[in-house]
Each structure stands twice: as C-alpha cells, then as structure tokens.
C-alpha cells in the first residue's frame, strides 16, 4: 500500500511518499517544492510517482538536506529527467559521488540512491520570488543542512526536528552536535518548520525549542546516572521504555534508544 499525498502550505507544496509493497509503509517522507526549487527528493522506491508529481512544473534546482537515502533517493533521477543541477553540502557531495552501503531495512523501506554529482551550495539560493540560505546543522548526520527563507519565516529542516520527544537515534547520530545545531538555528526567526517527516506549518520554532529542552534534559539525566556509576546498559534500562522495540527489531539495533544513550555518553 503506497502513500502519495499532496499538501499545500502557503506557496510551498509538500509531497508525502511511503512505500509499502506488503502493507502500510514502515515510514514516509516529504519532498517540498516552491518556485522552481525541489527540496529533498524522497525514496528511490517511489521514483515513478516522484517524477509524476513534478512533471510539467518549472524545475530549476534540486537541493538536498543530507545524503540519507530517503532524502537523496531520486536526486540522480530528477537531475537527469529535468536536466537540472543538484546542490548540497560538500560532505553530501562526497557521499553522493560514490556508491554508499545501506542496510536491508533501508533498502526495503526506501531503496538505494544513485550516484550523483553535486554542485556546491552558494551562500544564497535565489528564485524569482524567494531567497533560501543554506545553514550547516550537523548532528543527525555530518552533512546535515537546512534551508531558511527568512522573509517568509520558512525553515526546510530536513531531519533536524522529527518530533519534540524523539525516541531513537541511528548509530551515526551525534547528541551534542544536534543540541548545538538546534540552539544555533533557534537564533534565527521562522514560524513554519518544513520537517521531512513531520511538517509543522505554524509555530514550528516553539516546537523545535521544545525538542531542544527534551534533548538537554535527557542529556543531563544520562550524565547524572553515569556519574553515579551506572553502566550504559543500566542507563538504557533506567531511562528507556518499550517505544523503540519495533524500530530496534526492524533495524537490527541500528536505530534505538540505546543509540541515544551511547551518543550522549560519547559527547
Ligand atoms: Fe536522515
């Protein structure tokens, strides 16, 4: 049961895609469009629907928030089909310039991203009506970059937000970097948070601030228990709940609450 949905927030078009050959999709992802710009490209398992959604539109540039396959999945397909450049951070360009390995659950849920040659990000990306500023926000991944349209108060936030009280990390996420990146972004003004998995069209800044409080609190708790002599396992047991069970099982432990604790201890 695939998901293909379209939402309109002001002049921003949001397309939600989920791939589910054996039932409901495990996860879904948003691709955004405004005034000739495509921001993130959804999963390659849905490539024909992604092309269909954009066909007939003015397409001038494709921007990536990071290299993860649910964001970069159709970068190469869109670049070839619409004959446009794909832009991203230098680290994203390095990753996308060669084949990168993904796990089985990623292949099933999203599919692989094609090798893509990226153009370097200019300080400002201008369309006829808008100006987007790329801001490097490492933590979720090293290359993670958000795009801010200051005049309209729109933040295309990739995977910076996801939710106020997130329950798990991937094994490569960095706790302290996420806190620093969110703090830095909260210095800017915006209202709409165009998150790639959970868009918040109004009062998005307040929601991102709540996520920061949650992460800081959890970070403090982990440090407190560590100082009391708790092992990593004991901290996971003391602070965790069962909410990561399914995702931990499906990803063979690559995504879990334990990964959050590990990352907080490493910081
Ligand atoms: Fe991601």
């Amino acid at each position: 049961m695939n998901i293909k949905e379209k939402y309109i927030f002001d002049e921003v078009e949001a397309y939600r895609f989920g791939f589910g050959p054996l039932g409901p999709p495990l996860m879904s992802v948003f691709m955004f469009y405004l005034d000739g710009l495509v921001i993130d490209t959804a999963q390659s398992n849905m490539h024909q629907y992604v092309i269909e959604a954009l066909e007939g539109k003015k397409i001038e540039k494709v921007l990536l928030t990071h290299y993860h396959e649910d964001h970069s999945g159709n970068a190469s397909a869109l670049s070839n089909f619409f004959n446009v450049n794909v832009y991203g951070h230098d680290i994203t360009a390095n990753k996308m310039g060669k084949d990168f390995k993904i796990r089985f659950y990623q292949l099933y849920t999203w599919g692989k991203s094609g090798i893509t040659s990226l153009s370097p990000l200019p300080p400002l990306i201008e369309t006829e009506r808008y100006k987007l500023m790329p801001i490097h926000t490492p933590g979720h991944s090293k290359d993670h970059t958000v795009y801010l349209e200051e005049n309209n108060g729109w933040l295309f936030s990739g995977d910076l937000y996801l939710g106020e009280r997130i329950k798990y990390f991937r094994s490569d996420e960095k706790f302290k970097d996420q806190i620093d990146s969110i703090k830095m972004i909260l210095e800017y003004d915006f209202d709409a948070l165009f998150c790639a998995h959970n868009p918040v069209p109004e009062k998005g800044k307040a929601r991102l601030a709540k996520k920061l409080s949650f992460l800081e609190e959890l970070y403090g708790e982990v440090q407190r228990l560590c100082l009391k002599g708790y092992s990593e396992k004991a901290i996971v047991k003391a602070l965790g709940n069962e909410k990561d069970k399914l995702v931990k099982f499906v990803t063979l432990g690559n995504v879990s609450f334990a990964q959050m604790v590990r990352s907080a201890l490493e910081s």
Side-chain angles (χ1 to χ4, degrees):
M1 192 179 71
N2 293 333
I3 292 177
K4 299 161 279 171
E5 292 168 353
K6 178 181 176 182
Y7 302 87
I8 306 216
F9 305 112
D10 286 324
E11 284 164 71
V12 176
E13 295 176 20
Y15 294 86
R16 180 179 173 223
F17 298 102
F19 178 69
L22 306 173
L26 289 172
M27 283 182 80
S28 64
V29 66
F30 281 85
M31 168 183 85
F32 297 98
Y33 172 87
L34 82 154
D35 198 20
L37 292 181
V38 177
I39 302 164
D40 281 343
T41 66
Q43 65 277 60
S44 62
N45 283 346
M46 293 292 284
H47 76 273
Q48 69 273 35
Y49 301 109
V50 171
I51 301 268
E52 261 171 36
L54 297 173
E55 217 173 350
K57 290 185 184 298
K58 170 180 85 170
I59 308 286
E60 290 173 343
K61 288 184 178 79
V62 174
L63 310 178
L64 294 181
T65 59
H66 60 304
Y67 76 92
H68 289 167
E69 64 287 345
D70 45 334
H71 301 257
S72 69
N74 297 297
S76 134
L78 294 186
S79 171
N80 293 332
F81 191 88
F82 294 104
N83 195 24
V84 290
N85 288 343
V86 181
Y87 294 79
H89 191 275
D90 290 351
I91 308 173
T92 318
N94 265 333
K95 273 280 186 185
M96 298 294 299
K98 46 192 183 284
D99 194 42
F100 60 89
K101 282 207 174 88
I102 56 172
R103 292 173 163 82
F104 177 74
Y105 80 89
Q106 295 169 300
L107 192 63
Y108 174 81
T109 315
W110 311 116
K112 265 184 91 68
S113 301
I115 294 174
T116 317
S117 165
L118 263 60
S119 304
L121 281 169
L124 213 54
I125 297 135
E126 297 192 48
T127 73
E128 247 171 61
R129 300 200 292 279
Y130 307 109
K131 290 185 175 84
L132 273 75
M133 178 168 60
I135 308 170
H136 186 213
T137 48
H140 174 74
S141 60
K142 278 186 190 155
D143 61 330
H144 198 279
T145 300
V146 300
Y147 298 93
L148 177 67
E149 215 295 329
E150 263 185 315
N151 293 332
N152 286 279
W154 297 334
L155 184 75
F156 295 90
S157 60
D159 285 351
L160 184 74
Y161 169 64
L162 300 176
E164 280 167 37
R165 301 177 69 84
I166 54 168
K167 300 173 193 83
Y168 33 78
F169 265 20
R170 283 167 55 120
S171 58
D172 53 351
E173 295 195 54
K174 301 278 182 265
F175 211 112
K176 196 68 178 36
D177 290 353
Q178 283 205 26
I179 288 180
D180 291 345
S181 287
I182 295 176
K183 264 189 192 160
M184 182 256 293
I185 285 301
L186 289 172
E187 299 285 317
Y188 293 93
D189 266 337
F190 57 90
D191 187 51
L193 189 59
F194 292 114
C195 170
H197 297 280
N198 184 15
V200 184
E202 282 174 6
K203 301 191 172 67
K205 188 171 173 178
R207 298 273 286 271
L208 190 59
K210 281 187 182 164
K211 178 178 180 180
L212 176 64
S213 305
F214 169 72
L215 288 180
E216 286 181 324
E217 228 170 81
L218 180 60
Y219 185 78
E221 274 293 283
V222 171
Q223 301 302 330
R224 189 180 63 80
L225 293 176
C226 178
L227 287 174
K228 275 175 82 177
Y230 278 51
S231 68
E232 188 177 314
K233 235 179 165 178
I235 298 175
V236 173
K237 209 172 163 203
L239 300 179
N241 53 41
E242 301 290 288
K243 286 187 179 150
D244 71 338
K245 230 176 174 178
L246 176 66
V247 75
K248 193 174 155 186
F249 174 74
V250 172
T251 65
L252 303 175
N254 183 50
V255 183
S256 67
F257 177 71
Q259 299 286 8
M260 286 187 91
V261 171
R262 179 202 44 74
S263 183
L265 287 171
E266 273 173 16
S267 299

